[in-house]
Structures are given as structure tokens and as C-alpha cells.
Amino acid sequence: MQSTFLNEKEGKALLSKFGVDVPKSFIAASAECVSQKIGSLTAPFVVKVVSEDILHKSDAGGVTINLNTAPEVVEAITRMQAIPAIAAARVDGWLVEEMIPAGMEVAIGGFYDRQFGPILMLGLGGIHIELLKDVTFRICPITEQDAWNMINSLKARKLLDGFRGGAVYNKRLLVQGLLNIGGKEGLFMAHQNTISELDVNPFILTDSRLVAVDARIIQKNPNETREFSPIAGTTGTDVDVAQKFAPLFFPKNVAVLGASAKDVVIANTFIRRLKEFGFSGNIYPIHPKAEEIEGLKAYPSLSDAPNDIDYAYVAISAERILQSIELPPGKCKFIQIISAGFAETEQGRQQQEQLLHLARRSQVRLLGPNCLGTYSPSGRLTFPKDAPTDAGTIGVVSQSGGLSTDIIKRGQWRGLRFSGLVTIGNSIDVKPVELLQYFLSDPATKAIGLYIEDIKDGRAVFDLLRNSHDLKPIVILRGGATRQGRLAAQSHTGALASGDEAWVALSEQTVVELVDTIDEFINALLALQFLQLRTSTPTHKVVLFGNGGGSSVLGADCFARSGLDVSPFTPGTISKLEEIGFPPGTSVINPIDTPVRTLQEKEGFIAKEILDIVYDEAKPDAVAMHLNLAAFSGRGTSNPLQNLIDLITQTKQKRGADTHFVLALRSDRSAELDGLRREYIELARLAGIPVYDEIVDMAKTLRIVSNLEHKMILHKNQIRADAQEKVIL
């Protein structure tokens, strides 16, 4: 069944019901009907063809403007009827409207995303919107703050403020128009189950009116209609969520399916790693014939295990899984299926559905299939070898098992430590949003990372993050980003939708940052592990301090491109720094460029004098220090690096958390320097200092930190405003 369209008159009537200003109009079935109705309108007039066969009326020649009398309207209709594109179409009538005076042309549109629900679009410029693609999107419902942010994010926003002597337009009317369509009580939310796309292009904005001049509303195919509903596990108190997932992160009894009594397969490796990791609970190998596996008594089935199972690790072939996990209700709480071979084929999809049905009947929650395991340092549960046993503050949810190993192991050498990491693969049962809710409520988790290929229910994620009082920064790395829904270009809005809109909107409306690479992902989480986000003003003012003139110049460029300020110090600050007395070649303007010879002064403790003045006089939001380790090699008998790390630690402890301190230790990648660098990274980790490879990494990461700080402040203000509104109501 094809989607259906509301004609322009019907669309505008619907808009009007939600407070949108529309021109006075009527539909004429033919030219002869015009004189009977036109007396109710005030000239000048515009006349438009009404036809579902004609997508863009102007392109077809179906619009005539600046008509002043009924005969002129009749003549225009007669002329347009003869245009080939219109003559060949099924014409339902002619829309005659009062013509709206000139103003700024604005487009407001939207489309229904299968994952996130209604998405609202704003752009400026009539036909130029398609040429320049200066548009912005938000997930509905939007707030007033969202509406203002949409306006301010447009590149052409200055045109609204009288750019170069032009007219000034009433942006408050535009805010209200956005709320009328995309707000909590707006048109799109009220009709989200019936509207596929809407396109109001243009609105005419003046200093006194915002009028919908053209409107196109595409209704859903009924087969596509979907109402979002909460997923099991995404409601309840923090205590409820913690209790639900405690058996996963802190299991006492673990069962393992797929271990061999003869070979060493992945399930055997899992048992060995559990033992190495210090798991102190019971491990029950499950095997239909073996008496003993890996020195442990084996049991023929899960049902035969002597105790109820908290967590079962399943690594057997897909066709054997169904018969292996049929259990009495309550016997097992979580089963993680490592095996693949489900959603990839039609037979596998059927088995996957049967698997989910069986799990619900057995009252067990499934993770996977097609994943690698769960890592919980505090619960002594692991799947990577030699993973850190000390618990940290970063929670991660990943749909990729292999990438999760990279996150843990690469993060380990960078100083990253985890409160937990869960791989969920196809996530047929336990969804990303449930684990996100767990980490939000977990007091041990400070920040959250997500690697997502299929969010499963973006709407539930949006609602959770939008309304959560458990504010924590979130970093999302996406894989396989494709256009949501593959919308046909049935309107301007559909043509402008690329697939990223919902994700970008999620990051604009919640405390989320999107990254593109695994390195950016680890870099961001490392900062969030060590830095205390600023709660009053976001990070902006940065002092760059290190050795290497060219590196300092390039570093200043990196920070500037990241929107951070590395401005020269005031004359007073420079004077105080120069009073220290530096060897030739030292610059203290900002960046502070100190050759190795300078940093070797006073066994490296000269850096403390510099930092004390910087903190007291410049009062930066962040200090970014960079050290080229190769430059110290073979330069005299004094190696001040150990002392530098010590004094950085002392300065950080003395000055508190409001000023961020980040460090780049640059290496030539020789085995000697890389080994030394690892030692320094461990010292820095113990001191609470994030260490990066290059200056550019510090710049990009501090940009992410600044963005998250800004979003945290806005979120707190919005939560406060919502609470006040509820009190008033």
C-alpha cells in the first residue's frame, strides 16, 4: 500500500489546529467557481494547482502570484491547465490564497525515523535550502531551548538579525512555530503514528508573523505504523536496576557450555581466564558426556547444575543451543551466547526467534548472540586475557566482541580502567538501553562508552537520556552508519535526510558526544575517567606548555581549530614569568615553549614555578603539557622527567579539579622510549592525569570535554525548569 498525501488545503488546516498561522484560502474545483468565493479574500492573491501527481508545484508551472482580481485568477487557472505537466496529471482543484507580504523564507519539516520517532528539521532560504543544505535536525519533542539551539546552529542565522543592514526578523515567532510542530504538544508528536513526512516550505517570517505558505504532509503506510513502548528493564528505581543486573556483573555461580574434555576451545579458554582472574565463585562446565573439564566436575545439562546459575557462557553451535538452554523458570538469570549463525541466514533468524521465545518461557535474560562475553573487574568476570583486575569508573556497552577486546587492552596501556564492559552482539533480548540505564544508575561508573551498530530502540535511549537525573557523560562510537529508513525523496525534508540526523540530534539534545574512531573513543573516555567536568562554565581558555618550538606552533593551531582559546598572556603574567630567568630560546607568551635545557633547570622543578604563575595569574580552564621524550635522550646527565611527573602531580593535587590538566608524552616509537613512556603513563594514571600520544589528541579531547560540560549545564537547567513547571501545574 502506497503512502497517501494530504493536499495543501488539508495540510494547512491541520497545521492551523496546532496554532500555525496560515493564509486565508479556498479550493476552486474549476475556474468558473472563483468568482463565487473570492470575495472572502483580500488581494493580492496566489493560485496553486492541487494534485497528488505533482510533487513540486512551482517546477511544474502550477503556481501564479501577484493576482489582484477574480478575472486574473480565472485567467491564471486557464493558462496553467494547458501546461503539459498539469494537463497530464489528475487535478483535484485550485487553491486560491491571500498572498503573504515578502519576508525571510524558512523551511520547517520532519520525518518519522523507525528508531527514534519524529525528527524535526529547520532551514532557511526556500529553494536555497536544497542548494546549500544549511539545515539542522532534532528529535521530537523539542523544548524551547532546543528551538533556540536549532536557530543558532544554522550558518545563515545572521540573516535573521539584520545582516549588513537587512531586515530584522522575529526569532521568537520562529521558536513558537518550531514548538507548534515539534514540541511536546505539537503536531508531529500528536500524529507521530500517522505522519511519515511533513514539509512546510516556505514559511514567511517577518517582524510580526510566521505564516505557512506551502505545506506537504505525507501519511504513513499503515503497515509502517509503530508506537514506541518502554523496553523491559528501562523503568524502575536505581535499586531495581542494580538488583536486576547484579547476577551479570557479580555472579556467584557461572556455567560454561561448549568446553571440551579433549581440546582447548574458546569455552576452555574462558574457564582458564576466570581462574587466572581470581573468580572465587562456582564454575560448572556443562557437557553431555564428560565427567570433568579443566579440573572441574562437569554436569550433563544446565538443569543438573547443583545451584541456580547467575551467568551462563554459551559457546556451542547454533543448532545445538535451543535444546541446551531449555530450563525450568528461575534456574538461570543471564545467558550470554557467544555463538554466531543466527541473524545471518533465514534459518538462523527463525532459530533466533525460537531462542528468544524459549528464554522468555524460562525467565532468563539473553545477551547476544554473536558476542564475546562480559568483563567485570569487581565481579572477577573476564573474557580478554590479562585484563586489568583493578576496577575503574568507565562503563562500556558494545555490539562488537572483537572491538571490545581492543577497547579493554588498548585502554589498559593508556591507563583506562573499567567498572564493566558488556558485549551484546545481535542483542535480541537485553538491549543497549537497559545496560545504559544500569551504568547510569551505577555509583561506581563515572562515564559511559557505547559502540553501536543497531541501537534497537533509539526512542527509548533518547527518552532515558533526556529525562535522566543520573547525569553522566556518554561517548558513542557508531559502526555501519546508514540512512535510517531509506526515505524516498518525496519532499524537501526527505531529500535532505542523510541518515545521520537522529544521531547528531541525540548528541545535541543529550549529554552525548559522537566520535568516529576507536582512538577518539579511548581518548575521550580517558579524559572523562580522570577529569572532573566543570559545572559553571565549559572549558575554553587553555595554556599550552611544552618543549619543541614547531610543536608548540602546530599545537596552537590544533587548539584553535578545535574552538579552544590559546591566547597570549597579559603583559603582567608575561612579566612574572620572565622574572624566573630562563635560558635563551624560551618563550612564555602562550604557548609556553621551553627547550629541554630550560626544563633541565633545577632538576625539572622550574616547571613548578611556571605552573604556579600560570594558575595564579592566567587562571586557565585547562593546562595542556607536551613533552617530546626523544629530546631528553642523551641531553646531559639530568633527566627531569620523573621530577616533572611528580611536580605535575603535586600541582594538580594542590590546585584542585576545576582546572583540567592533560599531558602528551611524544615518543619516536623506539622500543626504549616506548618502554619508558609506559612507565610514565602508569605514574600519571596513579596521579589521575590522562596521557595522550600527540598534541592534536589533547586538543580534540578537550573539545569533547568542553562540549559535554556545556551539555551537562544545559541538561541541569532543563531538568530544573521541568521540575518548576510541574510545581506550577
Side-chain angles (χ1 to χ4, degrees), residues 194-509:
T194 56
I195 292 179
S196 174
E197 286 186 62
L198 62 86
D199 185 21
V200 187
N201 183 21
F203 273 97
I204 298 296
L205 176 64
T206 66
D207 63 342
S208 60
R209 290 184 74 184
L210 176 69
V211 187
V213 173
D214 196 1
R216 185 174 183 81
I217 295 178
I218 304 170
Q219 296 179 303
K220 284 182 184 178
N221 179 329
N223 294 330
E224 297 178 0
T225 298
R226 174 189 172 189
E227 292 188 29
F228 290 101
S229 59
I231 294 177
T234 59
T235 58
T237 66
D238 290 353
V239 174
D240 293 335
V241 175
Q243 289 176 345
K244 286 179 183 177
F245 284 97
L248 174 64
F249 290 98
F250 307 97
K252 296 177 181 177
N253 300 310
V254 172
V256 181
L257 282 72
S260 170
K262 300 177 181 178
D263 300 319
V264 178
V265 295
I266 186 173
N268 294 73
T269 301
F270 176 70
I271 293 174
R272 293 180 182 185
R273 289 178 182 173
L274 274 185
K275 292 178 177 180
E276 293 168 359
F277 204 59
F279 180 72
S280 59
N282 298 309
I283 303 174
Y284 303 130
I286 305 299
H287 194 284
K289 298 178 181 178
E291 294 291 329
E292 183 179 287
I293 294 176
E294 296 294 335
L296 300 168
K297 177 176 171 52
Y299 298 88
S301 72
L302 279 172
S303 299
D304 293 316
N307 295 303
D308 289 346
I309 306 300
D310 293 312
Y311 171 77
Y313 178 96
V314 178
I316 58 179
S317 60
E319 59 271 14
R320 293 170 50 209
I321 288 178
L322 286 174
Q323 65 188 48
S324 299
I325 66 167
E326 188 159 3
L327 298 165
K331 177 65 179 179
C332 184
K333 296 181 176 66
F334 285 92
I335 292 178
Q336 189 153 29
I337 300 175
I338 312 306
S339 320
F342 287 92
E344 300 90 336
T345 66
E346 179 60 35
Q347 180 181 356
R349 283 192 290 272
Q350 293 175 3
Q351 287 183 318
Q352 187 166 284
E353 292 176 5
Q354 294 171 351
L355 183 63
L356 182 58
H357 175 74
L358 180 60
R360 288 176 175 167
R361 191 173 69 196
S362 301
Q363 297 177 12
V364 62
R365 300 303 308 275
L366 292 181
L367 295 116
N370 192 21
C371 56
L372 274 188
T374 296
Y375 169 57
S376 173
S378 295
R380 287 296 184 260
L381 187 68
T382 189
F383 61 94
K385 183 174 178 57
D386 297 327
T389 56
D390 46 336
T393 58
I394 301 299
V396 174
V397 181
S398 174
Q399 287 189 287
S400 167
L403 196 66
S404 296
T405 302
D406 286 343
I407 292 168
I408 294 170
K409 296 301 294 181
R410 289 173 64 176
Q412 176 181 5
W413 302 122
R414 296 285 309 282
L416 202 58
R417 296 296 184 267
F418 302 87
S419 56
L421 182 149
V422 186
T423 66
I424 54 176
N426 298 359
S427 52
I428 64 170
D429 181 26
V430 174
K431 302 295 190 293
V433 66
E434 296 184 68
L435 292 162
L436 179 58
Q437 186 187 23
Y438 169 79
F439 283 126
L440 282 172
S441 65
D442 175 31
T445 299
K446 184 179 177 185
I448 303 166
L450 302 179
Y451 171 74
I452 293 295
E453 295 171 6
D454 177 6
I455 194 64
K456 297 300 179 184
D457 197 331
R459 185 70 198 187
V461 171
F462 174 73
D463 288 341
L464 174 64
L465 297 182
R466 186 73 158 181
N467 301 314
S468 176
H469 291 251
D470 299 312
L471 273 181
K472 292 178 184 177
I474 297 165
V475 181
I476 296 180
L477 173 63
R478 288 190 304 134
T482 57
R483 183 178 176 185
Q484 294 284 342
R486 297 290 180 185
L487 296 170
Q490 296 177 309
S491 68
H492 297 292
T493 305
L496 291 164
S498 68
D500 287 336
E501 299 82 22
W503 287 98
V504 173
L506 181 71
S507 73
E508 292 287 347
Q509 292 174 271

Side-chain angles (χ1 to χ4, degrees), residues 107-263:
I108 299 177
F111 63 92
Y112 182 90
D113 183 281
R114 290 174 180 267
Q115 288 291 345
F116 289 91
I119 308 290
L120 188 69
M121 183 206 75
L122 171 67
L124 297 183
I127 62 170
H128 302 297
I129 191 174
E130 295 179 58
L131 178 65
L132 302 176
K133 291 182 169 52
D134 183 15
V135 293
T136 186
F137 295 83
R138 295 294 185 275
I139 300 169
C140 299
I142 65 164
T143 63
E144 182 176 345
Q145 184 63 57
D146 289 330
W148 282 110
N149 289 343
M150 291 181 80
I151 295 169
N152 291 332
S153 66
L154 294 174
K155 296 173 185 175
R157 63 188 179 278
K158 291 182 180 178
L159 295 175
L160 298 171
D161 297 319
F163 183 70
R164 291 195 173 182
V168 177
Y169 300 95
N170 191 334
K171 290 188 288 188
R172 290 192 176 277
L173 288 175
L174 186 51
V175 167
Q176 188 57 54
L178 289 165
L179 291 171
N180 288 341
I181 294 176
K184 184 166 58 175
E185 307 297 331
L187 182 156
F188 212 171
M189 289 302 294
H191 292 273
Q192 63 176 299
N193 293 317
T194 56
I195 292 179
S196 174
E197 286 186 62
L198 62 86
D199 185 21
V200 187
N201 183 21
F203 273 97
I204 298 296
L205 176 64
T206 66
D207 63 342
S208 60
R209 290 184 74 184
L210 176 69
V211 187
V213 173
D214 196 1
R216 185 174 183 81
I217 295 178
I218 304 170
Q219 296 179 303
K220 284 182 184 178
N221 179 329
N223 294 330
E224 297 178 0
T225 298
R226 174 189 172 189
E227 292 188 29
F228 290 101
S229 59
I231 294 177
T234 59
T235 58
T237 66
D238 290 353
V239 174
D240 293 335
V241 175
Q243 289 176 345
K244 286 179 183 177
F245 284 97
L248 174 64
F249 290 98
F250 307 97
K252 296 177 181 177
N253 300 310
V254 172
V256 181
L257 282 72
S260 170
K262 300 177 181 178
D263 300 319

Side-chain angles (χ1 to χ4, degrees), residues 414 523 542-562 564 566 590-593 623-628 662-667 669 677 690-703:
R414 296 285 309 282
N523 284 345
V542 179
V543 170
L544 183 60
F545 174 18
N547 67 305
S551 298
S552 295
V553 173
L554 292 174
D557 289 339
C558 291
F559 278 91
R561 292 189 190 104
S562 296
L564 299 168
V566 186
N590 193 26
I592 300 173
D593 180 23
V623 174
M625 191 169 190
H626 61 100
L627 299 172
N628 184 356
V662 294
L663 177 64
L665 293 177
R666 303 173 60 231
S667 167
R669 301 309 181 198
R677 185 174 181 273
V691 177
Y692 296 92
D693 291 343
E694 297 290 344
I695 300 173
V696 64
D697 298 321
M698 293 194 295
K700 290 181 177 180
T701 301
L702 282 177
R703 175 74 266 165

Side-chain angles (χ1 to χ4, degrees), residues 624-646:
M625 191 169 190
H626 61 100
L627 299 172
N628 184 356
L629 300 182
F632 289 90
S633 181
R635 295 289 298 272
T637 59
S638 172
N639 183 346
L641 288 172
Q642 177 67 63
N643 289 342
L644 277 173
I645 296 290
D646 290 341

Side-chain angles (χ1 to χ4, degrees), residues 499-559:
D500 287 336
E501 299 82 22
W503 287 98
V504 173
L506 181 71
S507 73
E508 292 287 347
Q509 292 174 271
T510 63
V511 188
V512 164
E513 277 291 292
L514 303 176
V515 295
D516 297 319
T517 68
I518 185 67
D519 288 326
E520 291 176 347
F521 187 72
I522 291 173
N523 284 345
L525 292 176
L526 195 64
L528 296 174
Q529 172 178 281
F530 289 124
L531 304 183
Q532 188 69 41
L533 294 187
R534 295 165 56 86
T535 57
S536 55
T537 56
T539 298
H540 180 64
K541 188 178 175 184
V542 179
V543 170
L544 183 60
F545 174 18
N547 67 305
S551 298
S552 295
V553 173
L554 292 174
D557 289 339
C558 291
F559 278 91

Side-chain angles (χ1 to χ4, degrees), residues 629 633-634 667-679:
L629 300 182
S633 181
S667 167
D668 61 7
R669 301 309 181 198
S670 66
E672 178 186 0
L673 283 187
D674 274 354
L676 188 63
R677 185 174 181 273
R678 280 196 175 185
E679 293 179 19

